[in-house]
Amino acid sequence: MSAPTMLSPRSAEIVRSTLPVVEDSIDDITAIFYRTLLDEHPALVGSMFSADRLADGSQQRALAAAITASAALLVADESSDPRGLLTPVAHRHRQVGVEPAQ
């Protein structure tokens, strides 16, 4: 595994300063994200996303957890490598056939 790309001081400050707002709004953010994505690409339900996981909110909660945990890790230690948290997400995307352009 290559060395992680570190956040610039400016990017680190943006993450640090916006994390509380993102955490407070993460349920709304993920709901809007999935609603927009699935309105534009309804065929993804069933092919990439489980209708049950979308309906019970577990898909949205999984995204929310990945976003907030990664950002919190970066805020706690700017030299941290979030790939440990994000690698399983990337693997899952590959398993369900997400293409780079998506």
Side-chain angles (χ1 to χ4, degrees):
M1 187 179 285
S2 62
T5 302
M6 308 312 265
L7 287 178
S8 70
R10 173 90 173 112
S11 293
E13 182 51 37
I14 291 170
V15 171
R16 187 177 297 102
S17 65
T18 60
L19 182 57
V21 175
V22 170
E23 287 176 327
D24 287 347
S25 303
I26 196 67
D27 292 337
D28 293 331
I29 292 167
T30 56
I32 292 167
F33 170 80
Y34 281 107
R35 184 174 54 245
T36 303
L37 176 67
L38 299 174
D39 282 352
E40 293 179 15
H41 305 283
L44 294 178
V45 176
S47 65
M48 280 192 193
F49 297 106
S50 158
D52 291 338
R53 285 181 47 85
L54 289 164
D56 71 12
S58 58
Q59 180 68 44
Q60 296 86 328
R61 286 190 301 277
L63 176 61
I67 291 168
T68 56
S70 299
L73 178 65
L74 290 171
V75 168
D77 179 4
E78 292 173 25
S79 66
S80 65
D81 184 354
R83 289 180 292 186
L85 293 170
L86 298 176
T87 296
V89 175
H91 284 266
R92 179 66 183 144
H93 280 82
R94 293 285 293 161
Q95 287 175 341
V96 298
V98 175
E99 298 292 326
Q102 296 171 315

